[in-house]
Structures are given as C-alpha cells and as structure tokens.
C-alpha cells in the first residue's frame, strides 16, 4: 500500500522522457501501466515479469565508463549520451525498487531509508540538465552512483 510520499508515485515516468532504448521501453511501459491494485496485491506474475527483463550486463557496461569519465577525455556529446542511457536504466531499475518498498512495513527503518533514497533519485531525475560540461560530468557521475545502488539492490532482491 503506497503512502502519500511513497515510491509508487514516481512510476508515472514515460520512457520517452528518460531516453530509454526500444527494448527497455517496452519493459518500462508494461511496468508503468501495471494496475496499482495488482502491485499492491503482490501478484507474482506482474511482479516477476519486469525483473526478468532487466539486462544487468548492459547496465553494468554503462555504469563503468560513467564512473570513470573524469579519468578520460570525453566529449560533451558522449556525456549527454551516457546521461540518457543512465536515465533509462534508472527508470527501469526503479520499478522493482518501488515494488519492494510497497511490500515493506511502512514504519520501518529499512523502508524509510529505501523510500528516502528513491525520492532523492527521483528529485535528481527531475532536475534540468546542466548546460556546462563540468555540470554534465558531475550529473553523469551522480546518476551512475544511483544506478549502481539500484542495480546492487536489484541483484540482492531488495533484502
């Protein structure tokens, strides 16, 4: 059962808004159109479809250069491309994270930490892209860290 500030309200992101490629767009669109009552009921078919479709290897291959961008000379266009890919990966990984938060007891410390981090990630996503190369570099690195955190939680099945 989502709360007023719970993570489920962040699921209203359209794939086009976050720059998701076609294969991930179908998965995100399916996850975003899932009925909230079905998510609350914990229907294993709807919950199980999205995590199976996440390509962990591709996400890790995007995170690695994004975390190491300060060590190499990247062009602004490369940073913008990394930013778009990371936005898509974050949108995809938020779905199982929000579902896990919805299943938790909403008064617990673990739930509060998860929801707080997801809220921070959502606030970062809604910010306007930075116009200067240094701002884009910082934004890409922050998004890569958020993406790594979401991916680690996904791998651990949000214990």
């Amino acid at each position: 059962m989502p709360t007023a500030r719970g993570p489920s309200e962040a699921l209203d992101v359209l794939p086009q808004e976050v720059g998701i490629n076609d294969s991930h767009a179908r998965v995100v669109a399916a996850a975003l159109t899932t009925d909230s009552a079905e998510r609350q009921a914990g229907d294993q078919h709807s919950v199980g479809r999205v995590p199976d479709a996440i390509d962990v290897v591709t996400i890790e291959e995007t995170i690695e250069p994004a975390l190491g961008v300060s060590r190499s000379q990247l062009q602004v266009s490369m940073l913008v491309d990394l930013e778009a890919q990371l936005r898509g990966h974050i949108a995809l990984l938020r779905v199982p994270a929000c579902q896990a938060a919805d299943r938790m007891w909403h008064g617990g410390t673990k739930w509060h930490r998860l929801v707080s981090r997801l809220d921070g990630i959502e606030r970062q996503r809604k910010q306007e892209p930075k116009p200067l190369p240094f701002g884009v570099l910082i934004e890409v690195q922050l998004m890569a860290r958020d993406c790594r955190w979401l991916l680690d939680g996904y791998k651990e099945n949000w214990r």
Side-chain angles (χ1 to χ4, degrees), residues 2-64:
T3 63
R5 293 200 54 215
S8 292
E9 56 190 40
L11 293 176
D12 59 354
V13 179
L14 296 175
Q16 299 84 4
E17 293 177 13
V18 293
I20 299 175
N21 64 29
D22 290 337
S23 63
H24 286 157
R26 288 189 302 270
V27 174
V28 172
L32 296 178
T33 57
T34 302
D35 184 49
S36 64
E38 187 177 354
R39 279 195 317 268
Q40 289 174 4
D43 182 9
Q44 292 303 318
H45 288 303
S46 66
V47 174
R49 279 188 300 228
V50 174
D52 292 339
I54 293 178
D55 185 4
V56 174
V57 175
T58 302
I59 295 172
E60 287 176 340
E61 288 173 354
T62 305
I63 292 172
E64 290 308 315

Side-chain angles (χ1 to χ4, degrees), residues 4-142:
R5 293 200 54 215
S8 292
E9 56 190 40
L11 293 176
D12 59 354
V13 179
L14 296 175
Q16 299 84 4
E17 293 177 13
V18 293
I20 299 175
N21 64 29
D22 290 337
S23 63
H24 286 157
R26 288 189 302 270
V27 174
V28 172
L32 296 178
T33 57
T34 302
D35 184 49
S36 64
E38 187 177 354
R39 279 195 317 268
Q40 289 174 4
D43 182 9
Q44 292 303 318
H45 288 303
S46 66
V47 174
R49 279 188 300 228
V50 174
D52 292 339
I54 293 178
D55 185 4
V56 174
V57 175
T58 302
I59 295 172
E60 287 176 340
E61 288 173 354
T62 305
I63 292 172
E64 290 308 315
L67 287 175
V69 290
S70 63
R71 289 174 275 199
S72 63
Q73 296 295 330
L74 290 179
Q75 297 174 352
V76 175
S77 62
M78 181 78 120
L79 289 172
V80 170
D81 186 45
L82 277 173
E83 179 184 13
Q85 290 176 5
L86 288 168
R87 283 184 187 276
H89 295 324
I90 287 171
L92 188 66
L93 289 167
R94 281 182 53 78
V95 174
C98 291
Q99 290 173 345
D102 285 344
R103 289 188 302 267
M104 290 179 178
W105 177 58
H106 289 201
T109 306
K110 188 175 179 181
W111 172 82
H112 181 69
R113 285 184 188 139
L114 178 58
V115 170
S116 296
R117 183 71 188 263
L118 291 172
D119 285 346
I121 291 170
E122 182 63 13
R123 278 192 306 276
Q124 176 71 23
R125 185 194 69 78
K126 288 182 178 180
Q127 288 182 356
E128 291 291 322
K130 307 295 186 250
L132 301 175
F134 185 70
V136 175
L137 173 69
I138 298 301
E139 190 170 298
V140 164
Q141 290 179 339
L142 290 172

